[in-house]
Amino acid sequence: MAKSCIVGLYLFFAVLASHGIVELQASHHVYRNLQTVQSSASADQPYRTGYHFQPPKNWINDPNGLMVYKGIYHLFYQYNPKGAVWGNIVWAHSTSKDLVNWTPHEPAIHPSQPGDINGCWSGSATILPGGTPAMLYTGIDPKNSQVQNLAVPKNLSDPYLREWVKSPKNPLMQPTAENKINASSFRDPTTAWLGPDKKWRVIIGSKIDRRGLAILFKSKDFVNWVQAPTPLRAAEGTGMWECPDFYPVSLRGRNGVDTSLNGPSVKHVLKLSLDDTKHDFYTVGSYDGSRDVYTPDKGSVESDSGLRYDYGKYYASKTFLDSIKNRRVLCGWLNESSSVADDIKKGWAGVHAIPRHIWLDKSGKQLIQWPVVEIEKLRANHVTLPSKLLKGGSVVEVTGVTASQADVDISFEITSFEKAEVLDPSWTNPQLLCSQKGASVKGGLGPFGLLVLASKGLSENTAVLFRIFKGQNKHVVLMCSDQSRSSLNQNNDKTTYGAFLDVDPLHQSLSLRSLIDHSIVESFGGGGKACISARVYPTLAIDNAAHLFVFNNGSEAVKIAKLNAWSMNKAKIN
Ligand code: DQQ
C-alpha cells in the first residue's frame, strides 16, 4: 500500500475518533453481507421445534421485557426480520396464557428515533405502581453509541399491548465525556426496583478494559436518571457484563417475590451474561438498599467457573415475577450449534429454552430450576419402566414414545460404590472432564444415563450421563451432555458440556429429566440443581427414526429406580 494511502487511512480514523464515532460493538458475529438475505428455506425442516419457542423464520436472540399484563404473559425478543443471522434488530413480540402456546404480534419496538436508529437492543420491563408497564431498553444512536431509552404502551386497555410509544426525552442515560462510560459497552437495563428512599434503581451492563461493571442509575420519576457514584458491583478480569439481572429470592419456599422486596426473608441474586464466554453465571448474596451495595456470599465465585444457570448453551437470560402463579420465571436463549451456511439454508437461527420456575435451594447457596409445570399438559403416551438393575455394559431401549419430541424423567439408585474411580484433585473443570470421559469411555461407576435422539444402530446419539467418583470425603457426581456423536454432519459445534452436581448419591437417588425437541436436549440433573442445554442436528435420528435408550457403560451395575417418559404434543408457537 502506498505511503500516502496509509497516511490517508490514519487521518480518516483520527477524524472518526475525534468526532466521537464509536464502532458498532455487538457481542454477536456480524455478517454484514448476510443480514438481509432472505433464504428460500428448504421445505425439509427436521430441526424445527415442537414445543420450544421460535418464530416461523429468521434470527432470534435474547428474551426481552418479560412480564404479566392483565393476566397475559408477554415475551419480547431480539429479532432480525430480514435474515437468519444477527442484524437489523427489533423487539419482536408474542403473548401467551400459559407460557406454552404463543400468539405472535407485530414487532413492538423498532428503530425510529435518534436514540435507537441503529438498533433496538435488549432491555427489561418494570411494572410501575398502578400497574403500568415501562420498558427500558438499549438503543444504538447515530454515532453507534449505546444509550438507554424508555417506551410505554400506547393503549393500556389493550391486554396485548400491541403498540408502544417512546419517550420524547430519549435517550435517558448515555455515555458522556463527564461520566466516561464506555460508549460501545453500555447496554441491557434490568427491571428497575424501588429502594428505601422510594427512588427507582436500574443497573446496566458495562466494562472498562477487562473489568465488568453493573452501572447503577437512580430516578424519582423513571424519566430523569442520575448515575450513582459507584457501580452496584464490578469484578476484574471478566470482560463485558451483558444482560444483568438482579432480584430477591425468598429464603423459604418456592414462591417468587417482587423485585423491590428486601429484608431478612430474602437473599439477592446477581446474574451476569459474560460476553467473552457466552455463559450466564450468578452469585447469591445480600443487598444493602440504603448504601446500594450488593455483596456475594462468602465462597461465591464471580466468574463463569462459579454457579451457572446452565452449563451448556444458554445465554442472555432474564427473569420476571409471574404474579399469576406467584413464582419467579427464567427465560433464556439457546443459540444454534450449526454453521452459518446451514442456518441460512434452514432460514432460521435461535430458539428459547422452556421457561423455568426458579427458587433458592434449602442450602441457601444455589438456585433450583424446573420447567414450568404448564409444559406437562403437552405430555402424551405415558411409558414407564419397572425398577430394574442395569448391568455394566447394557443398553435398553425405551419404546412407545416419539423420541424426537419427548419428556423423559429417570432416577437411578446406587447400590455399591466400590468401583467408583478416585477423583484426581486436579480434575476441577467439569466440562473438560466430561470431554475426556465421554459416554464411550468405560468407567467404574458410570457413565450411565440416557442416549437421546439416537439412530437405531447408535451411530448418532446424544448422551446425557452421570459418573460418580470417590472424592476426598464424599462422592462427587459429574453430569455430562456429550454431543460428540450427535450427528454425522461434521460442520456442527459438538462441544461436550459438564457440571458437578451437589447431590449425595449415598443417601439420595440421582434424577435426570431431559426435554427432547428435535434439535434441543435440555437436561435437568438432581431435580434442577444443574442444567445442561445442547443443540444437536442428527441426520439419521430424526422424526420417527429417533430412538431413546438407557445405558450403563461402567463396570458397576446401577438400579433404575423409576422411569417416566412421554411423547410431547406440539405447542402452538406463533
Ligand atoms: N444481545 C443484544 C445486546 C446484548 C446481547 C443485541 C446479548 O443488547 O448485550 O442483540 O446477547
Side-chain angles (χ1 to χ4, degrees):
M1 199 188 283
K3 204 171 169 192
S4 61
C5 188
I6 296 174
V7 172
L9 269 182
Y10 171 79
L11 280 177
F12 174 71
F13 285 118
V15 169
L16 278 190
S18 69
H19 281 74
I21 295 176
V22 182
E23 213 221 314
L24 185 70
Q25 273 199 25
S27 62
H28 308 277
H29 288 292
V30 179
Y31 303 94
R32 288 209 192 280
N33 51 334
L34 301 175
Q35 285 177 351
T36 44
V37 174
Q38 281 285 3
S39 65
S40 44
S42 88
D44 183 27
Q45 291 281 356
Y47 308 125
R48 284 192 68 79
T49 65
Y51 60 100
H52 282 73
F53 181 85
Q54 64 175 174
K57 59 179 185 175
N58 296 331
W59 164 276
I60 76 164
N61 55 291
D62 321 353
N64 292 152
L66 299 157
M67 64 175 175
V68 175
Y69 185 69
K70 291 194 191 290
I72 291 174
Y73 295 105
H74 287 254
L75 165 67
F76 303 81
Y77 55 97
Q78 297 278 285
Y79 178 63
N80 179 358
K82 297 182 179 159
V85 301
W86 183 87
N88 311 305
I89 292 294
V90 302
W91 276 43
H93 183 197
S94 292
T95 54
S96 171
K97 291 209 165 128
D98 57 8
L99 293 170
V100 173
N101 298 290
W102 294 91
T103 305
H105 302 289
E106 285 304 307
I109 305 179
H110 32 81
S112 66
Q113 283 188 328
D116 65 12
I117 203 67
N118 283 322
C120 297
W121 290 11
S122 286
S124 309
T126 303
I127 308 291
L128 302 178
T132 311
M135 291 299 181
L136 287 172
Y137 70 98
T138 298
I140 309 299
D141 80 359
K143 293 183 192 163
N144 284 334
S145 282
Q146 298 175 8
V147 301
Q148 315 313 321
N149 298 316
L150 172 67
V152 292
K154 191 170 178 185
N155 174 10
L156 285 171
S157 60
D158 172 16
Y160 298 105
L161 299 175
R162 281 168 284 206
E163 287 180 275
W164 290 76
V165 285
K166 297 175 188 176
S167 168
K169 296 217 165 154
N170 286 341
L172 307 183
M173 293 164 251
Q174 58 187 319
T176 62
E178 291 73 48
N179 66 25
K180 296 200 175 61
I181 289 175
N182 183 343
S184 60
S185 303
F186 178 50
R187 53 183 182 266
D188 311 336
T190 56
T191 294
W193 69 95
L194 279 168
D197 56 4
K198 303 275 175 284
K199 284 189 187 157
W200 290 103
R201 276 112 170 115
V202 68
I203 52 173
I204 295 138
S206 186
K207 70 167 177 186
I208 292 178
D209 301 323
R210 301 274 313 132
R211 187 165 195 250
L213 300 173
I215 299 181
L216 179 70
F217 277 79
K218 295 196 203 181
S219 173
K220 264 196 228 150
D221 56 6
F222 223 83
V223 174
N224 297 289
W225 292 87
V226 177
Q227 190 185 351
T230 49
L232 182 79
R233 191 71 194 165
E236 288 302 337
T238 59
M240 175 67 187
W241 287 358
E242 297 190 307
C243 303
D245 197 14
F246 186 58
Y247 54 90
V249 279
S250 180
L251 275 171
R252 234 158 288 122
R254 298 180 177 189
N255 282 356
V257 292
D258 186 82
T259 311
S260 298
L261 188 83
N262 202 356
S265 62
V266 297
K267 280 199 165 276
H268 271 76
V269 172
L270 176 61
K271 184 281 296 186
L272 302 158
S273 299
L274 289 187
D275 191 6
D276 289 7
T277 57
K278 295 284 177 285
H279 292 156
D280 280 12
F281 84 92
Y282 68 92
T283 51
V284 178
S286 37
Y287 168 53
D288 177 342
S290 49
R291 294 190 307 132
D292 279 314
V293 174
Y294 167 72
T295 315
D297 286 348
K298 231 169 127 218
S300 301
V301 180
E302 280 189 280
S303 77
D304 58 354
S305 44
L307 291 168
R308 283 167 52 188
Y309 281 158
D310 194 297
Y311 295 84
K313 196 158 257 186
Y314 187 93
Y315 194 62
S317 62
K318 196 171 281 300
T319 64
F320 72 104
L321 177 68
D322 171 0
S323 49
I324 303 174
K325 292 214 161 171
N326 275 326
R327 59 186 173 182
R328 189 159 283 271
V329 173
L330 168 70
C331 295
W333 164 46
L334 309 178
N335 196 5
E336 301 302 309
S337 294
S338 46
S339 67
V340 171
D342 281 352
D343 293 346
I344 290 180
K345 234 190 273 163
K346 65 190 201 289
W348 58 273
V351 299
H352 283 175
I354 295 299
R356 301 175 183 175
H357 176 191
I358 58 170
W359 65 92
L360 189 66
D361 181 41
K362 280 198 200 89
S363 68
K365 291 193 176 142
Q366 69 156 103
L367 296 170
I368 305 290
Q369 306 170 58
W370 201 243
V372 291
V373 66
E374 290 89 330
I375 204 76
E376 294 172 18
K377 67 184 182 194
L378 297 176
R379 287 171 168 175
N381 309 341
H382 187 191
V383 162
T384 56
L385 265 194
S387 157
K388 71 188 244 163
L389 205 66
L390 196 63
K391 286 209 190 107
S394 47
V395 180
V396 176
E397 179 157 14
V398 180
T399 54
V401 293
T402 310
S404 56
Q405 200 173 297
D407 182 352
V408 188
D409 200 355
I410 186 166
S411 65
F412 296 95
E413 260 167 38
I414 313 302
T415 40
S416 163
F417 289 84
E418 232 168 82
K419 295 186 182 146
E421 286 171 71
V422 173
L423 187 81
D424 186 308
S426 69
W427 296 347
T428 51
N429 179 336
Q431 174 157 337
L432 188 65
L433 197 52
C434 285
S435 59
Q436 289 163 348
K437 291 174 179 285
S440 58
V441 180
K442 256 195 180 342
L445 192 40
F448 57 85
L450 299 171
L451 300 176
V452 309
L453 293 172
S455 60
K456 203 155 197 252
L458 290 178
S459 58
E460 285 187 335
N461 70 79
T462 294
V464 193
L465 58 96
F466 297 119
R467 264 175 203 270
I468 300 175
F469 297 95
K470 277 183 199 135
Q472 287 202 313
N473 40 28
K474 56 173 188 172
H475 289 101
V476 175
V477 181
L478 180 71
M479 172 178 168
C480 308
S481 186
D482 176 355
Q483 282 67 244
S484 59
R485 287 156 192 252
S486 57
S487 172
L488 298 178
N489 176 354
Q490 299 309 331
N491 298 330
N492 303 313
D493 167 10
K494 296 186 194 168
T495 306
T496 288
Y497 308 121
F500 289 118
L501 190 62
D502 185 18
V503 169
D504 173 8
L506 198 58
H507 301 108
Q508 290 160 280
S509 63
L510 206 48
S511 73
L512 170 66
R513 179 170 175 201
S514 288
L515 300 175
I516 302 155
D517 197 359
H518 301 271
S519 60
I520 304 173
V521 182
E522 204 182 341
S523 301
F524 301 79
K529 282 196 161 175
C531 308
I532 306 184
S533 297
R535 300 299 312 283
V536 292
Y537 310 88
T539 59
L540 307 171
I542 55 175
D543 300 324
N544 290 335
H547 297 259
L548 171 69
F549 299 89
V550 185
F551 81 105
N552 179 7
N553 198 18
S555 49
E556 187 79 79
V558 295
K559 190 171 142 195
I560 302 176
K562 58 175 194 256
L563 177 136
N564 289 296
W566 297 264
S567 301
M568 291 294 268
N569 285 328
K570 239 178 148 16
K572 186 195 158 294
I573 295 176
N574 291 318

